[in-house]
């Protein structure tokens, strides 16, 4: 706890004006960095690869839009924790009836397990491809590494923030290297970011997948918990400063996550769009990258996937703990939580289910559970009896409602398409 206690003391010095400069402001970085991992998890890899391979740079505007929506909801989640001192799950427990709370907890737990399925499988796929080991062996290594990292959670918030931050740095550096190796058509990429268009019904399906799975349920719960007692706030002036630092961190951290996702799409567009547009799976993308861009590019792709899988699996477990504690006031040992969330992933692989297809199914499950935290967050952050003077104004409420409506409608389209229900927008 020493590093955490020292960080809190230094933060108090910044808030009181005793310490100035950028080094002091950096002490407030951490919660949004951890939450941003949810937007770079393995579940995004397959969708981004499909977008770039099939439509070149044409769907980059969808990634940008999805990232802006994510920024808004993560900022609201952080705001909730800073102002109330409680996380979203705790406020649900305090304000809703017992039957509603139990249903919300069950849905959220299923979402947490689906999230972990995608993250756990992603790390295992990366390890199995990089080191040519069986997928089950890759899963075993992923399990051991993630559990080892989770042990640092008992040492306070700062060590975990630094570990996850380092992994985010690895992911970012890998994709920075990728865009230098791949011959990106920067003019076309720029046009794709600002020109909203969909080439056909299949492009709409992919766009729905990108936006529909962007706002992660567990990230909304987790961010409010990471900020609820991180800084010692003594005055309203200090609270306003913490909120200001939090908003800046959300913008920067989510911007980095957005750029990583855009880099994934651009890499796939450069490598696969002309001649290999059928590439849709992570394994195929790796094997195709090697002859096209070389061993370094393929290796960087796998290293980023491993870092993404392990870090997001750690974050998913942290979120699961917070969800259970918040809704039920009950906490289980981290090893048991890790074991429970690993079981579905091992079962999927043991049954011979295609790993990439399992990632897609996990995104469908997330889509079903997404309305629960999104709607609750909008309700609580707009209530003056909960937020006081920090309740959201009309503009923010409207933007949140529009963003939530867009995400939820697109999720409905994604679910309908997944279950074979005819949707006019997707008709060819």
């Amino acid at each position: 706890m020493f590093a955490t206690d020292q960080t809190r003391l230094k933060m108090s010095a910044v808030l009181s004006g005793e310490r100035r400069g950028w080094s002091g402001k950096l002490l407030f970085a951490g919660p949004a960095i951890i939450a941003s991992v949810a937007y770079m998890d393995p579940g995004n890899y397959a969708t981004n690869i499909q977008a770039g391979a099939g439509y070149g740079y044409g769907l980059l505007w969808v990634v940008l839009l999805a990232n802006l929506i994510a920024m808004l909801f993560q900022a609201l989640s952080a705001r909730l924790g800073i102002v109330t001192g409680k996380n979203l799950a705790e406020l649900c427990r305090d304000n809703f009836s017992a039957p509603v709370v139990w249903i919300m907890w069950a849905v959220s737990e299923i979402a947490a397990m689906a999230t972990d399925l995608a993250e756990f499988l992603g790390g295992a796929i990366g390890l199995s491809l990089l080191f040519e080991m069986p997928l089950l062996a890759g899963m075993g290594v992923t399990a051991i590494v993630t559990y080892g990292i989770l042990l640092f959670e008992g040492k306070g918030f700062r060590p975990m923030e630094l570990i996850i931050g380092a992994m985010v740095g690895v992911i970012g550096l890998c994709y920075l290297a990728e865009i230098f190796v791949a011959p990106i058509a920067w003019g076309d990429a720029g046009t794709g970011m600002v020109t909203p268009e969909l080439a056909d019904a299949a492009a709409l399906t992919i766009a729905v997948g990108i936006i529909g799975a962007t706002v992660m349920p567990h990230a909304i719960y987790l961010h409010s918990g990471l900020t609820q007692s991180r800084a010692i706030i003594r005055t309203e002036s200090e609270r306003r400063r913490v909120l200001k630092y939090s908003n800046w961190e959300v913008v920067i951290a989510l911007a980095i996550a957005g750029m990583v996702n855009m880099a994934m799409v651009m890499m796939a567009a450069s490598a696969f769009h002309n001649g290999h547009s059928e590439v849709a799976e992570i394994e195929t993308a790796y094997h195709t990258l090697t002859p096209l861009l070389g061993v370094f590019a393929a290796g960087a792709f796998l290293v980023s996937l491993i870092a993404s899988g392990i870090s997001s699996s750690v974050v998913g477990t942290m979120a699961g703990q917070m969800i259970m504690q918040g809704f039920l006031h009950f906490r289980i040992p981290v090893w048991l939580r890790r074991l429970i969330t690993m079981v579905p992933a091992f079962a999927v692989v043991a049954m011979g289910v295609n790993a990439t297809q399992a990632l897609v199914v996990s995104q469908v499950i997330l889509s079903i559970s997404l309305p629960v935290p999104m709607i609750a967050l909008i309700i609580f952050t707009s209530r003056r009896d909960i937020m006081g003077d920090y309740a959201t104004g009309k503009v923010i409420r409207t933007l949140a409602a529009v963003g939530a409506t867009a995400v939820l409608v697109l999720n409905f389209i994604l679910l309908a398409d997944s279950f074979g229900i005819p949707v006019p927008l997707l008709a060819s």
Side-chain angles (χ1 to χ4, degrees):
M1 296 291 286
F2 178 75
T4 292
D5 293 338
Q6 287 288 98
T7 301
R8 279 203 172 101
L9 289 173
K10 292 175 182 177
M11 290 166 72
S12 295
V14 173
L15 293 175
S16 65
E18 298 173 17
R19 178 171 177 167
R20 301 179 186 277
W22 282 103
S23 62
K25 293 181 176 63
L26 286 174
L27 295 169
F28 293 86
I33 293 172
I34 289 179
S36 73
V37 169
Y39 301 94
M40 297 177 280
D41 75 356
N44 293 329
Y45 275 61
T47 304
N48 289 331
I49 289 169
Q50 289 176 18
Y55 298 95
Y57 306 100
L59 294 180
L60 281 173
W61 68 272
V62 181
V63 179
L64 177 60
L65 176 63
N67 204 63
L68 292 175
I69 295 173
M71 283 183 184
L72 175 59
F73 278 91
Q74 292 305 141
L76 288 176
S77 179
R79 184 189 190 100
L80 188 72
I82 292 168
V83 172
T84 67
K86 294 184 177 182
N87 62 55
L88 180 58
E90 289 172 334
L91 285 166
C92 290
R93 185 192 65 227
D94 294 344
N95 289 274
F96 297 138
S97 65
V100 172
V101 169
W102 278 95
I103 292 171
M104 292 179 74
W105 169 73
V107 171
S108 301
E109 283 287 0
I110 292 170
M113 294 181 73
T115 301
D116 198 64
L117 170 64
E119 294 158 350
F120 196 61
L121 274 176
I125 290 170
L127 284 168
S128 67
L129 289 172
L130 187 61
F131 298 106
E132 298 183 351
M133 62 173 67
L135 187 57
L136 281 173
M139 294 174 71
V141 173
T142 303
I144 294 169
V145 173
T146 53
Y147 179 69
I149 294 173
L150 282 164
L151 294 179
F152 283 90
E153 193 177 8
K155 299 182 181 296
F157 63 78
R158 200 55 175 172
M160 185 63 77
E161 289 174 352
L162 295 173
I163 292 170
I164 298 300
M167 291 194 172
V168 169
V170 169
I171 298 169
L173 288 173
C174 285
Y175 270 94
L176 180 64
E178 292 278 17
I179 62 175
F180 279 110
V181 172
I184 306 294
W186 292 103
D188 292 342
T191 301
M193 288 182 198
V194 298
T195 308
E197 63 179 14
L198 296 167
D200 52 32
L204 176 58
T205 303
I206 295 175
V208 167
I210 292 171
I211 296 182
T214 290
V215 184
M216 292 283 97
H218 72 291
I220 294 177
Y221 284 115
L222 182 63
H223 205 159
S224 62
L226 294 173
T227 59
Q228 69 183 110
S229 59
R230 190 173 181 275
I232 301 171
I233 301 173
R234 293 159 295 196
T235 66
E236 290 308 307
S237 175
E238 291 185 353
R239 193 181 307 279
R240 284 191 291 272
R241 290 189 72 182
V242 172
L243 282 170
K244 177 183 175 182
Y245 296 147
S246 173
N247 288 336
W248 274 110
E249 190 208 359
V250 167
V251 170
I252 294 170
L254 270 293
I256 292 171
M259 286 188 285
V260 167
N261 280 299
M262 288 182 186
M264 287 186 202
V265 175
M266 288 190 288
M267 181 274 291
S270 172
F272 307 138
H273 183 54
N274 293 319
H276 300 275
S277 60
E278 77 287 350
V279 171
E281 296 186 353
I282 291 172
E283 296 93 329
T284 308
Y286 166 68
H287 291 302
T288 309
L289 269 177
T290 303
L292 290 177
L293 299 181
V295 175
F296 174 79
F301 172 74
L302 289 188
V303 169
S304 72
L305 179 62
I306 293 167
S308 167
I310 291 174
S311 59
S312 55
S313 189
V314 169
V315 170
T317 303
M318 292 170 61
Q321 288 282 62
M322 189 169 294
I323 288 168
M324 176 174 282
Q325 182 277 327
F327 278 116
L328 306 183
H329 259 174
F330 183 72
R331 193 177 182 90
I332 60 176
V334 68
W335 65 266
L336 182 57
R337 161 69 61 178
R338 180 69 267 172
L339 181 63
I340 291 172
T341 53
M342 283 193 310
V343 169
F346 275 97
V348 164
V349 174
M351 290 187 296
V353 177
N354 177 275
T356 300
Q357 185 59 37
L359 295 181
V360 173
V361 171
S362 73
Q363 301 307 303
V364 173
I365 296 172
L366 289 175
S367 298
I368 296 172
S369 61
L370 184 56
V372 174
M374 286 188 78
I375 294 171
L377 182 63
I378 293 174
I379 291 172
F380 292 141
T381 53
S382 64
R383 284 176 51 175
R384 292 189 67 85
D385 60 323
I386 291 176
M387 300 292 289
D389 292 337
Y390 300 97
T392 52
K394 186 177 293 184
V395 173
I396 298 298
R397 286 200 302 271
T398 301
L399 289 174
V402 170
T405 300
V407 171
L408 297 180
V409 168
L410 290 170
N411 269 295
F412 171 77
I413 295 172
L414 175 64
L415 291 171
D417 185 57
S418 299
F419 289 108
I421 301 173
V423 179
L425 283 174
L426 295 180
S428 55

